[in-house]
Amino acid sequence: PCAWEVPSSSCRVHVTGDRKSLRTHLNEVHGFVSTGRQSVRCKWDGCGRTLQKENMVRHILSHHMHVKVRCDSCGKELCRRDVQTTHAKKFCP
């Protein structure tokens, strides 16, 4: 469930662990537009980390929703698709 802080509680609406649906939910329900390099505070319950707006969805998926990807070659579990690509190039050519 979404744990984006709203006045006096957390949202708690079910969101799937994919980039598009999370981005849409944050925009339509919370008015958060995830584009630009402006520094903002993560409003996920208990976080408060400051990061660029354009990285918020990636941050929530990897740090709060614990969405993982697997290396197709060795099966190692990695935190993000871009990390998987780098891993595959360096360690599983």
Side-chain angles (χ1 to χ4, degrees), residues 22-48:
L22 179 58
R23 182 180 295 118
T24 300
H25 172 78
L26 290 176
N27 187 352
E28 291 178 359
V29 176
H30 303 292
F32 181 83
V33 179
S34 59
T35 56
R37 294 182 180 251
Q38 176 187 1
S39 291
V40 293
R41 183 180 69 84
C42 177
K43 293 184 178 182
W44 205 263
D45 189 31
C47 184

Side-chain angles (χ1 to χ4, degrees), residues 27-70:
N27 187 352
E28 291 178 359
V29 176
H30 303 292
F32 181 83
V33 179
S34 59
T35 56
R37 294 182 180 251
Q38 176 187 1
S39 291
V40 293
R41 183 180 69 84
C42 177
K43 293 184 178 182
W44 205 263
D45 189 31
C47 184
R49 182 175 175 183
T50 300
L51 56 149
Q52 291 177 345
K53 285 177 89 172
E54 65 187 12
N55 295 326
M56 185 64 71
V57 171
R58 183 177 75 179
H59 165 76
I60 291 170
L61 288 172
S62 63
H63 293 297
H64 301 300
M65 297 179 76
H66 306 289
V67 173
K68 304 290 183 194
V69 294
R70 279 196 193 280

